[in-house]
Amino acid sequence: MSVSVKGVSKIYGSQKALNNVSFEIGTGEVVGFLGPNGAGKSTMMKILTSFITQSEGEVKVCGIDVINNSIESRKKIGYLPEHNPLYLDMYVREFLAFIADIHKIKNKKERVNEMIELTGLTPEKTKKIKQLSKGYRQRVGLAAALIHDPEVLILDEPTTGLDPNQLKEIRVLIKNIGATKTIMLSTHIMQEVEAICDRAIIIKNGEIVADNQIEALQQGNSEVIVEVEFEKSIDLNKLRSIDTVNRIIDLGDNKFEIYSEENSDVRPQISQFAIDNSNLVLSMQKREQKMEDVFQNLTKD
């Protein structure tokens, strides 16, 4: 296993940030590590990368204990933290050469050129980092995390603050890298998980609440979802009174997501509801479960 976590807890004073967490990630897997703010995601990633130590349990990266042999375990990891630490007054090539020196890479010049090409930095390679856009700064961070050819890549919110074009480019880059690396990815963007990841581990209040393949998680969410748009405003309490309806999300402009029980189809009742209330249904359709639905189901209070 590339990553092995067994019975890990982390306690800060009276607060338990992680509680008996266990999981394994195999070679070549791309795994989304998901959870609401404060769930313990960043704490787990910092333990994996030896920035902090766990209070209890065992963590191994490529078979190496992260406490007893942290230097060797770090050599196996490429880490891009949420707040990308860059020297802004350095040039792109200069910074990557500096990181290569830290890792004592012998063919430094060739490796820097390879990383610049791999991460799409060629158009910006002669600039100082402070002159780069957020998207290109993330590419520099990825290049730095990859320059020593690690077996495991840990990415904490790698696409935060990027525009849609930059998002797409970074996602494609991560997906391509995942063909040869084990990747653990933390993000709040569920579309990103669907686009990049094979599997998701979901954590809430320091405990794992789900660990499965993306498709299995989506199929396991048993609620039926109907999207509907009415011509005029409605009385939500009356709509909620329909049998089998579990909850309703108001999307604004008389548009709603209606969640009902497994194997139920509330569309005929919604149509009748509109007729009874002198309203019109402008559009209505069942939609497939998304990771966003799974996430909300498992982490809502």
Side-chain angles (χ1 to χ4, degrees):
M1 285 292 163
S2 293
V3 174
S4 175
V5 174
K6 295 181 180 178
V8 167
S9 296
K10 179 63 179 178
I11 302 170
Y12 296 103
S14 60
Q15 181 184 2
K16 209 165 195 177
L18 294 172
N19 183 24
N20 195 30
V21 170
S22 298
F23 61 87
E24 292 184 334
I25 302 177
T27 303
E29 280 193 277
V30 181
V31 176
F33 193 56
L34 316 175
N37 290 330
K41 303 185 302 297
S42 292
T43 297
M44 187 71 253
M45 290 183 159
K46 288 174 182 176
I47 290 172
L48 282 167
T49 52
S50 300
F51 277 82
I52 60 175
T53 58
Q54 65 268 31
S55 304
E56 301 170 2
E58 178 187 76
V59 178
K60 291 184 177 180
V61 175
C62 300
I64 303 168
D65 190 285
V66 299
I67 291 181
N68 297 331
N69 206 345
S70 65
I71 298 298
E72 290 304 312
S73 69
R74 291 184 200 197
K75 291 178 181 178
K76 302 290 184 180
I77 296 173
Y79 180 39
L80 180 62
E82 181 178 0
H83 302 291
N84 190 0
L86 301 170
Y87 290 107
L88 301 183
D89 284 322
M90 279 186 165
Y91 292 93
V92 171
R93 187 182 294 280
E94 179 189 13
F95 175 74
L96 294 178
F98 168 69
I99 300 297
D101 284 336
I102 291 175
H103 290 289
K104 299 180 180 178
I105 295 172
K106 294 179 180 178
N107 55 334
K108 178 175 67 176
K109 185 176 180 180
E110 291 81 0
R111 187 62 180 164
V112 167
N113 288 336
E114 186 180 344
M115 288 301 97
I116 286 173
E117 184 175 350
L118 175 67
T119 56
L121 282 166
T122 302
E124 309 292 310
K125 65 182 179 181
T126 59
K127 290 184 179 180
K128 284 189 175 182
I129 293 172
K130 67 182 178 183
Q131 297 174 299
L132 303 181
S133 67
K134 179 73 183 290
Y136 274 108
R137 291 187 189 189
Q138 288 298 83
R139 290 170 187 262
V140 174
L142 271 174
L146 288 165
I147 200 161
H148 60 297
D149 196 23
E151 295 177 37
V152 178
L153 190 60
I154 296 179
L155 308 174
D156 193 357
E157 302 286 351
T159 59
T160 299
L162 304 187
D163 67 36
N165 291 331
Q166 293 168 337
L167 272 173
K168 184 176 180 180
E169 291 168 358
I170 294 295
R171 285 176 187 170
V172 170
L173 177 58
I174 293 170
K175 187 71 173 176
N176 291 339
I177 292 168
T180 57
K181 307 285 181 190
T182 298
I183 297 180
M184 184 175 180
L185 168 76
S186 171
T187 180
H188 286 110
I189 305 171
M190 295 301 110
Q191 298 95 322
E192 197 160 276
V193 177
E194 293 169 334
I196 298 174
C197 300
D198 311 309
R199 169 183 156 209
I201 299 170
I202 302 177
I203 188 171
K204 177 187 178 185
N205 297 331
E207 298 181 354
I208 290 176
V209 293
D211 181 356
N212 213 331
Q213 299 296 307
I214 300 297
E215 187 176 343
L217 286 170
Q218 290 171 317
Q219 291 176 349
N221 190 11
S222 57
E223 284 185 310
V224 176
I225 305 170
V226 172
E227 294 178 338
V228 60
E229 179 182 2
F230 295 100
E231 181 187 36
K232 298 180 290 187
S233 61
I234 63 162
D235 185 335
L236 264 179
N237 289 325
K238 287 184 179 179
L239 188 59
R240 288 192 184 99
S241 68
I242 295 175
D243 289 342
T244 75
V245 168
N246 292 336
R247 57 194 173 100
I248 299 170
I249 296 177
D250 188 344
L251 303 176
D253 297 325
N254 299 324
K255 297 176 183 177
F256 303 89
E257 283 185 348
I258 300 174
Y259 293 73
S260 58
E261 295 172 7
E262 183 178 6
N263 298 324
S264 66
D265 188 349
V266 295
R267 286 177 293 180
Q269 291 99 309
I270 292 170
S271 296
Q272 188 61 50
F273 167 86
I275 293 169
D276 294 343
N277 290 274
S278 303
N279 210 328
L280 286 176
V281 174
L282 300 182
S283 66
M284 181 165 56
Q285 62 180 357
K286 287 175 68 175
R287 74 162 171 80
E288 297 297 319
Q289 300 281 354
K290 299 176 182 177
M291 274 303 299
E292 187 173 341
D293 305 313
V294 176
F295 181 86
Q296 289 176 345
N297 244 10
L298 291 169
T299 62
K300 66 186 177 185
D301 293 324

